[in-house]
Amino acid sequence: MIDLTEDQMLGMARIAGLHIPDEDVVPLTLRLNALLEASEALDQFPLEDVLALPTLPHPSALPVHQRDARGAPLLATETDAPLAYKPITELAHLIRTRHLSPVELTDLYLERIGQYNGALKSYITVVPERARREAHEAARALTQGADVGPLHGIPLAYKDEFYTKGVRTTCGSVILSEFVPDYDATTVSKLHEAGAVMLGKLNMTEWATPLTLAFPYGQPCNPWNVEHDAGGSSTGSGSATAAALCAGALGEDTGGSIRRPA
């Protein structure tokens, strides 16, 4: 295979009606050639007779007797895991039953972020003031007997491609280093409606591409071995969840972006 030249890259961009800044021509050409080289290897494998993985049937598609036999899965509400590592179902149960304060839980994760994020680079942006404010609001709502959502007081963090109103959203690129959306992504909005507390925005491969030559906001690390990568593109989402720097994280998967970090 012959590598594409920078002139060919610019020619394709012109045909597509795209403008590539001069400083991006070389790295984008390298990335495209790397993707083409990787995809070329697939041609060496005969895939015509490979069957697709079977999908799991939706419960509503099962015969009635099978649906009744399976029943609803039990939610974990009592484990012996340390507080920061407890599943969200248990944390939500502890909060709703007043055995745990959203403020206490949020402070725990912020403390762990301060202790470990310097080495792991899971976060691009941390918003401690906002997180504590939302945690106090969640605690106040519980005291007042409000009808709370399923994630009430649960501290979460979001991959830095999801728009967050008033909080910069970089998509892992220096090009958006000062971009601050004026509205929330639908997923973020729905999590807030469910009562979640936002801790910050998580590191990721640039533009969620499968190949990132350099992480502008620091190389995210695998928490079990900081000499290893944490996968991508939801890199920080995987490492932050594994290292208990949040109760849970929002990522997205187009071609393995959640599965590789998981």
mmCIF file of all heavy atoms in Angstrom, residues 12-50:
data_model
loop_
_atom_site.group_PDB
_atom_site.id
_atom_site.type_symbol
_atom_site.label_atom_id
_atom_site.label_comp_id
_atom_site.label_asym_id
_atom_site.label_seq_id
_atom_site.Cartn_x
_atom_site.Cartn_y
_atom_site.Cartn_z
ATOM 1 N N MET A 12 -8.466 15.734 -1.017
ATOM 2 C CA MET A 12 -9.696 15.086 -0.555
ATOM 3 C C MET A 12 -10.510 16.033 0.316
ATOM 4 O O MET A 12 -11.747 16.044 0.250
ATOM 5 C CB MET A 12 -9.343 13.812 0.223
ATOM 6 C CG MET A 12 -8.824 12.691 -0.652
ATOM 7 S SD MET A 12 -8.683 11.119 0.231
ATOM 8 C CE MET A 12 -7.478 11.542 1.485
ATOM 9 N N ALA A 13 -9.811 16.838 1.118
ATOM 10 C CA ALA A 13 -10.513 17.796 1.967
ATOM 11 C C ALA A 13 -11.253 18.830 1.127
ATOM 12 O O ALA A 13 -12.388 19.206 1.437
ATOM 13 C CB ALA A 13 -9.524 18.474 2.916
ATOM 14 N N ARG A 14 -10.624 19.284 0.043
ATOM 15 C CA ARG A 14 -11.267 20.269 -0.835
ATOM 16 C C ARG A 14 -12.519 19.674 -1.470
ATOM 17 O O ARG A 14 -13.562 20.330 -1.563
ATOM 18 C CB ARG A 14 -10.288 20.737 -1.916
ATOM 19 C CG ARG A 14 -9.299 21.801 -1.436
ATOM 20 C CD ARG A 14 -8.613 22.457 -2.614
ATOM 21 N NE ARG A 14 -7.773 21.511 -3.341
ATOM 22 C CZ ARG A 14 -6.500 21.261 -3.047
ATOM 23 N NH1 ARG A 14 -5.931 21.896 -2.022
ATOM 24 N NH2 ARG A 14 -5.807 20.400 -3.741
ATOM 25 N N ILE A 15 -12.428 18.407 -1.911
ATOM 26 C CA ILE A 15 -13.575 17.747 -2.526
ATOM 27 C C ILE A 15 -14.731 17.637 -1.532
ATOM 28 O O ILE A 15 -15.901 17.804 -1.877
ATOM 29 C CB ILE A 15 -13.169 16.349 -3.039
ATOM 30 C CG1 ILE A 15 -12.177 16.483 -4.207
ATOM 31 C CG2 ILE A 15 -14.398 15.549 -3.463
ATOM 32 C CD1 ILE A 15 -11.579 15.175 -4.660
ATOM 33 N N ALA A 16 -14.372 17.375 -0.257
ATOM 34 C CA ALA A 16 -15.392 17.233 0.785
ATOM 35 C C ALA A 16 -15.873 18.568 1.325
ATOM 36 O O ALA A 16 -16.777 18.622 2.155
ATOM 37 C CB ALA A 16 -14.829 16.389 1.935
ATOM 38 N N GLY A 17 -15.260 19.646 0.851
ATOM 39 C CA GLY A 17 -15.651 20.968 1.317
ATOM 40 C C GLY A 17 -15.145 21.280 2.711
ATOM 41 O O GLY A 17 -15.762 22.071 3.441
ATOM 42 N N LEU A 18 -14.033 20.664 3.117
ATOM 43 C CA LEU A 18 -13.474 20.866 4.454
ATOM 44 C C LEU A 18 -12.217 21.710 4.380
ATOM 45 O O LEU A 18 -11.454 21.643 3.415
ATOM 46 C CB LEU A 18 -13.135 19.516 5.100
ATOM 47 C CG LEU A 18 -14.293 18.523 5.286
ATOM 48 C CD1 LEU A 18 -13.760 17.197 5.797
ATOM 49 C CD2 LEU A 18 -15.325 19.099 6.242
ATOM 50 N N HIS A 19 -12.005 22.506 5.410
ATOM 51 C CA HIS A 19 -10.771 23.286 5.526
ATOM 52 C C HIS A 19 -9.901 22.691 6.622
ATOM 53 O O HIS A 19 -10.352 22.520 7.758
ATOM 54 C CB HIS A 19 -11.069 24.745 5.866
ATOM 55 C CG HIS A 19 -9.831 25.526 6.229
ATOM 56 N ND1 HIS A 19 -8.851 25.832 5.306
ATOM 57 C CD2 HIS A 19 -9.425 26.036 7.434
ATOM 58 C CE1 HIS A 19 -7.892 26.509 5.916
ATOM 59 N NE2 HIS A 19 -8.210 26.639 7.200
ATOM 60 N N ILE A 20 -8.679 22.345 6.284
ATOM 61 C CA ILE A 20 -7.735 21.806 7.270
ATOM 62 C C ILE A 20 -6.674 22.864 7.553
ATOM 63 O O ILE A 20 -5.958 23.275 6.634
ATOM 64 C CB ILE A 20 -7.065 20.517 6.756
ATOM 65 C CG1 ILE A 20 -8.112 19.447 6.443
ATOM 66 C CG2 ILE A 20 -6.070 19.986 7.788
ATOM 67 C CD1 ILE A 20 -7.526 18.160 5.904
ATOM 68 N N PRO A 21 -6.544 23.324 8.784
ATOM 69 C CA PRO A 21 -5.485 24.287 9.118
ATOM 70 C C PRO A 21 -4.111 23.711 8.788
ATOM 71 O O PRO A 21 -3.895 22.491 8.870
ATOM 72 C CB PRO A 21 -5.655 24.486 10.629
ATOM 73 C CG PRO A 21 -7.071 24.103 10.913
ATOM 74 C CD PRO A 21 -7.399 23.009 9.940
ATOM 75 N N ASP A 22 -3.193 24.573 8.412
ATOM 76 C CA ASP A 22 -1.857 24.124 7.987
ATOM 77 C C ASP A 22 -1.196 23.232 9.028
ATOM 78 O O ASP A 22 -0.570 22.216 8.693
ATOM 79 C CB ASP A 22 -0.968 25.340 7.710
ATOM 80 C CG ASP A 22 -1.428 26.119 6.487
ATOM 81 O OD1 ASP A 22 -2.191 25.547 5.682
ATOM 82 O OD2 ASP A 22 -1.046 27.299 6.355
ATOM 83 N N GLU A 23 -1.352 23.596 10.322
ATOM 84 C CA GLU A 23 -0.656 22.837 11.365
ATOM 85 C C GLU A 23 -1.247 21.444 11.583
ATOM 86 O O GLU A 23 -0.634 20.592 12.241
ATOM 87 C CB GLU A 23 -0.663 23.608 12.691
ATOM 88 C CG GLU A 23 -2.055 23.852 13.285
ATOM 89 C CD GLU A 23 -2.685 25.135 12.800
ATOM 90 O OE1 GLU A 23 -2.240 25.664 11.753
ATOM 91 O OE2 GLU A 23 -3.620 25.628 13.465
ATOM 92 N N ASP A 24 -2.453 21.196 11.012
ATOM 93 C CA ASP A 24 -3.101 19.895 11.208
ATOM 94 C C ASP A 24 -2.891 18.946 10.035
ATOM 95 O O ASP A 24 -3.256 17.768 10.122
ATOM 96 C CB ASP A 24 -4.603 20.082 11.419
ATOM 97 C CG ASP A 24 -4.929 20.716 12.760
ATOM 98 O OD1 ASP A 24 -4.067 20.663 13.651
ATOM 99 O OD2 ASP A 24 -6.039 21.269 12.912
ATOM 100 N N VAL A 25 -2.324 19.431 8.935
ATOM 101 C CA VAL A 25 -2.203 18.609 7.731
ATOM 102 C C VAL A 25 -1.330 17.387 7.987
ATOM 103 O O VAL A 25 -1.704 16.245 7.674
ATOM 104 C CB VAL A 25 -1.649 19.435 6.562
ATOM 105 C CG1 VAL A 25 -1.380 18.518 5.359
ATOM 106 C CG2 VAL A 25 -2.611 20.538 6.175
ATOM 107 N N VAL A 26 -0.158 17.590 8.577
ATOM 108 C CA VAL A 26 0.771 16.470 8.799
ATOM 109 C C VAL A 26 0.198 15.429 9.755
ATOM 110 O O VAL A 26 0.144 14.234 9.427
ATOM 111 C CB VAL A 26 2.140 16.988 9.304
ATOM 112 C CG1 VAL A 26 3.042 15.814 9.701
ATOM 113 C CG2 VAL A 26 2.822 17.805 8.211
ATOM 114 N N PRO A 27 -0.266 15.828 10.971
ATOM 115 C CA PRO A 27 -0.793 14.794 11.874
ATOM 116 C C PRO A 27 -2.018 14.079 11.333
ATOM 117 O O PRO A 27 -2.172 12.872 11.533
ATOM 118 C CB PRO A 27 -1.127 15.567 13.162
ATOM 119 C CG PRO A 27 -1.153 17.002 12.792
ATOM 120 C CD PRO A 27 -0.219 17.150 11.652
ATOM 121 N N LEU A 28 -2.909 14.805 10.607
ATOM 122 C CA LEU A 28 -4.091 14.148 10.051
ATOM 123 C C LEU A 28 -3.716 13.174 8.939
ATOM 124 O O LEU A 28 -4.325 12.104 8.800
ATOM 125 C CB LEU A 28 -5.078 15.189 9.528
ATOM 126 C CG LEU A 28 -5.850 15.965 10.599
ATOM 127 C CD1 LEU A 28 -6.730 17.031 9.962
ATOM 128 C CD2 LEU A 28 -6.704 15.024 11.436
ATOM 129 N N THR A 29 -2.702 13.522 8.145
ATOM 130 C CA THR A 29 -2.235 12.609 7.098
ATOM 131 C C THR A 29 -1.662 11.344 7.722
ATOM 132 O O THR A 29 -1.928 10.225 7.260
ATOM 133 C CB THR A 29 -1.173 13.296 6.222
ATOM 134 O OG1 THR A 29 -1.715 14.495 5.665
ATOM 135 C CG2 THR A 29 -0.730 12.384 5.091
ATOM 136 N N LEU A 30 -0.898 11.497 8.799
ATOM 137 C CA LEU A 30 -0.345 10.336 9.500
ATOM 138 C C LEU A 30 -1.446 9.451 10.049
ATOM 139 O O LEU A 30 -1.400 8.217 9.941
ATOM 140 C CB LEU A 30 0.571 10.798 10.639
ATOM 141 C CG LEU A 30 1.919 11.408 10.243
ATOM 142 C CD1 LEU A 30 2.612 11.995 11.470
ATOM 143 C CD2 LEU A 30 2.809 10.352 9.600
ATOM 144 N N ARG A 31 -2.462 10.068 10.606
ATOM 145 C CA ARG A 31 -3.551 9.286 11.197
ATOM 146 C C ARG A 31 -4.334 8.520 10.134
ATOM 147 O O ARG A 31 -4.682 7.350 10.320
ATOM 148 C CB ARG A 31 -4.499 10.202 11.974
ATOM 149 C CG ARG A 31 -3.876 10.761 13.228
ATOM 150 C CD ARG A 31 -4.859 11.631 13.966
ATOM 151 N NE ARG A 31 -4.213 12.308 15.090
ATOM 152 C CZ ARG A 31 -4.841 13.067 15.952
ATOM 153 N NH1 ARG A 31 -6.131 13.252 15.824
ATOM 154 N NH2 ARG A 31 -4.199 13.640 16.955
ATOM 155 N N LEU A 32 -4.641 9.195 9.035
ATOM 156 C CA LEU A 32 -5.401 8.534 7.980
ATOM 157 C C LEU A 32 -4.609 7.368 7.402
ATOM 158 O O LEU A 32 -5.165 6.289 7.156
ATOM 159 C CB LEU A 32 -5.761 9.532 6.880
ATOM 160 C CG LEU A 32 -6.604 8.963 5.725
ATOM 161 C CD1 LEU A 32 -7.885 8.320 6.249
ATOM 162 C CD2 LEU A 32 -6.931 10.050 4.717
ATOM 163 N N ASN A 33 -3.310 7.551 7.202
ATOM 164 C CA ASN A 33 -2.482 6.456 6.691
ATOM 165 C C ASN A 33 -2.439 5.291 7.675
ATOM 166 O O ASN A 33 -2.439 4.124 7.268
ATOM 167 C CB ASN A 33 -1.063 6.948 6.390
ATOM 168 C CG ASN A 33 -0.977 7.688 5.064
ATOM 169 O OD1 ASN A 33 -1.616 7.286 4.090
ATOM 170 N ND2 ASN A 33 -0.220 8.769 5.015
ATOM 171 N N ALA A 34 -2.412 5.610 8.971
ATOM 172 C CA ALA A 34 -2.414 4.546 9.976
ATOM 173 C C ALA A 34 -3.723 3.765 9.940
ATOM 174 O O ALA A 34 -3.739 2.527 10.050
ATOM 175 C CB ALA A 34 -2.186 5.140 11.368
ATOM 176 N N LEU A 35 -4.845 4.481 9.771
ATOM 177 C CA LEU A 35 -6.147 3.810 9.690
ATOM 178 C C LEU A 35 -6.240 2.941 8.437
ATOM 179 O O LEU A 35 -6.752 1.818 8.485
ATOM 180 C CB LEU A 35 -7.263 4.857 9.685
ATOM 181 C CG LEU A 35 -7.550 5.561 11.017
ATOM 182 C CD1 LEU A 35 -8.527 6.708 10.793
ATOM 183 C CD2 LEU A 35 -8.127 4.576 12.023
ATOM 184 N N LEU A 36 -5.747 3.457 7.327
ATOM 185 C CA LEU A 36 -5.785 2.684 6.094
ATOM 186 C C LEU A 36 -4.929 1.428 6.201
ATOM 187 O O LEU A 36 -5.301 0.350 5.738
ATOM 188 C CB LEU A 36 -5.308 3.549 4.917
ATOM 189 C CG LEU A 36 -6.239 4.705 4.521
ATOM 190 C CD1 LEU A 36 -5.562 5.601 3.485
ATOM 191 C CD2 LEU A 36 -7.552 4.161 3.974
ATOM 192 N N GLU A 37 -3.762 1.572 6.833
ATOM 193 C CA GLU A 37 -2.878 0.419 7.019
ATOM 194 C C GLU A 37 -3.545 -0.632 7.917
ATOM 195 O O GLU A 37 -3.467 -1.831 7.662
ATOM 196 C CB GLU A 37 -1.552 0.871 7.628
ATOM 197 C CG GLU A 37 -0.544 -0.260 7.807
ATOM 198 C CD GLU A 37 0.773 0.224 8.372
ATOM 199 O OE1 GLU A 37 0.974 1.456 8.439
ATOM 200 O OE2 GLU A 37 1.587 -0.620 8.759
ATOM 201 N N ALA A 38 -4.201 -0.162 8.974
ATOM 202 C CA ALA A 38 -4.859 -1.098 9.886
ATOM 203 C C ALA A 38 -6.010 -1.822 9.203
ATOM 204 O O ALA A 38 -6.208 -3.027 9.386
ATOM 205 C CB ALA A 38 -5.361 -0.350 11.125
ATOM 206 N N SER A 39 -6.805 -1.087 8.410
ATOM 207 C CA SER A 39 -7.949 -1.721 7.749
ATOM 208 C C SER A 39 -7.519 -2.659 6.632
ATOM 209 O O SER A 39 -8.217 -3.619 6.315
ATOM 210 C CB SER A 39 -8.890 -0.646 7.189
ATOM 211 O OG SER A 39 -8.226 0.138 6.208
ATOM 212 N N GLU A 40 -6.341 -2.405 6.048
ATOM 213 C CA GLU A 40 -5.845 -3.265 4.977
ATOM 214 C C GLU A 40 -5.635 -4.696 5.479
ATOM 215 O O GLU A 40 -5.832 -5.670 4.748
ATOM 216 C CB GLU A 40 -4.533 -2.697 4.420
ATOM 217 C CG GLU A 40 -4.030 -3.422 3.178
ATOM 218 C CD GLU A 40 -2.735 -2.827 2.665
ATOM 219 O OE1 GLU A 40 -1.869 -2.514 3.508
ATOM 220 O OE2 GLU A 40 -2.589 -2.663 1.447
ATOM 221 N N ALA A 41 -5.248 -4.821 6.761
ATOM 222 C CA ALA A 41 -5.001 -6.149 7.324
ATOM 223 C C ALA A 41 -6.259 -7.003 7.351
ATOM 224 O O ALA A 41 -6.200 -8.241 7.308
ATOM 225 C CB ALA A 41 -4.433 -6.010 8.729
ATOM 226 N N LEU A 42 -7.436 -6.371 7.397
ATOM 227 C CA LEU A 42 -8.691 -7.129 7.442
ATOM 228 C C LEU A 42 -8.911 -7.924 6.161
ATOM 229 O O LEU A 42 -9.597 -8.953 6.173
ATOM 230 C CB LEU A 42 -9.865 -6.175 7.672
ATOM 231 C CG LEU A 42 -9.900 -5.446 9.019
ATOM 232 C CD1 LEU A 42 -11.072 -4.473 9.052
ATOM 233 C CD2 LEU A 42 -10.008 -6.441 10.169
ATOM 234 N N ASP A 43 -8.339 -7.449 5.047
ATOM 235 C CA ASP A 43 -8.528 -8.138 3.774
ATOM 236 C C ASP A 43 -7.862 -9.508 3.761
ATOM 237 O O ASP A 43 -8.144 -10.330 2.885
ATOM 238 C CB ASP A 43 -7.974 -7.283 2.627
ATOM 239 C CG ASP A 43 -8.747 -5.976 2.471
ATOM 240 O OD1 ASP A 43 -9.922 -5.959 2.864
ATOM 241 O OD2 ASP A 43 -8.170 -4.999 1.968
ATOM 242 N N GLN A 44 -6.965 -9.756 4.706
ATOM 243 C CA GLN A 44 -6.247 -11.028 4.739
ATOM 244 C C GLN A 44 -7.074 -12.140 5.380
ATOM 245 O O GLN A 44 -6.692 -13.305 5.351
ATOM 246 C CB GLN A 44 -4.929 -10.867 5.506
ATOM 247 C CG GLN A 44 -4.009 -9.805 4.929
ATOM 248 C CD GLN A 44 -2.812 -9.544 5.827
ATOM 249 O OE1 GLN A 44 -2.510 -10.340 6.706
ATOM 250 N NE2 GLN A 44 -2.132 -8.429 5.607
ATOM 251 N N PHE A 45 -8.206 -11.781 5.989
ATOM 252 C CA PHE A 45 -9.005 -12.765 6.709
ATOM 253 C C PHE A 45 -10.317 -13.015 5.966
ATOM 254 O O PHE A 45 -11.080 -12.078 5.700
ATOM 255 C CB PHE A 45 -9.308 -12.261 8.128
ATOM 256 C CG PHE A 45 -8.069 -12.034 8.951
ATOM 257 C CD1 PHE A 45 -7.493 -10.780 9.021
ATOM 258 C CD2 PHE A 45 -7.479 -13.076 9.641
ATOM 259 C CE1 PHE A 45 -6.352 -10.563 9.771
ATOM 260 C CE2 PHE A 45 -6.335 -12.864 10.396
ATOM 261 C CZ PHE A 45 -5.772 -11.611 10.462
ATOM 262 N N PRO A 46 -10.594 -14.279 5.632
ATOM 263 C CA PRO A 46 -11.877 -14.592 4.980
ATOM 264 C C PRO A 46 -13.012 -14.515 5.993
ATOM 265 O O PRO A 46 -13.078 -15.289 6.944
ATOM 266 C CB PRO A 46 -11.667 -16.029 4.481
ATOM 267 C CG PRO A 46 -10.635 -16.610 5.403
ATOM 268 C CD PRO A 46 -9.737 -15.466 5.801
ATOM 269 N N LEU A 47 -13.904 -13.566 5.797
ATOM 270 C CA LEU A 47 -14.971 -13.337 6.762
ATOM 271 C C LEU A 47 -16.342 -13.742 6.238
ATOM 272 O O LEU A 47 -17.342 -13.596 6.951
ATOM 273 C CB LEU A 47 -15.000 -11.846 7.149
ATOM 274 C CG LEU A 47 -13.712 -11.277 7.765
ATOM 275 C CD1 LEU A 47 -13.866 -9.783 8.009
ATOM 276 C CD2 LEU A 47 -13.385 -11.986 9.069
ATOM 277 N N GLU A 48 -16.384 -14.286 5.003
ATOM 278 C CA GLU A 48 -17.684 -14.576 4.400
ATOM 279 C C GLU A 48 -18.485 -15.586 5.225
ATOM 280 O O GLU A 48 -19.714 -15.505 5.326
ATOM 281 C CB GLU A 48 -17.511 -15.109 2.969
ATOM 282 C CG GLU A 48 -16.927 -14.095 1.989
ATOM 283 C CD GLU A 48 -15.409 -13.981 2.107
ATOM 284 O OE1 GLU A 48 -14.819 -14.767 2.874
ATOM 285 O OE2 GLU A 48 -14.828 -13.110 1.427
ATOM 286 N N ASP A 49 -17.797 -16.568 5.821
ATOM 287 C CA ASP A 49 -18.501 -17.632 6.541
ATOM 288 C C ASP A 49 -18.539 -17.406 8.048
ATOM 289 O O ASP A 49 -18.952 -18.293 8.795
ATOM 290 C CB ASP A 49 -17.822 -18.981 6.262
ATOM 291 C CG ASP A 49 -17.864 -19.335 4.789
ATOM 292 O OD1 ASP A 49 -18.873 -18.993 4.131
ATOM 293 O OD2 ASP A 49 -16.893 -19.945 4.292
ATOM 294 N N VAL A 50 -18.093 -16.234 8.503
ATOM 295 C CA VAL A 50 -18.109 -15.945 9.933
ATOM 296 C C VAL A 50 -19.500 -15.475 10.329
ATOM 297 O O VAL A 50 -20.032 -14.511 9.774
ATOM 298 C CB VAL A 50 -17.071 -14.866 10.296
ATOM 299 C CG1 VAL A 50 -17.158 -14.531 11.783
ATOM 300 C CG2 VAL A 50 -15.670 -15.356 9.945
#
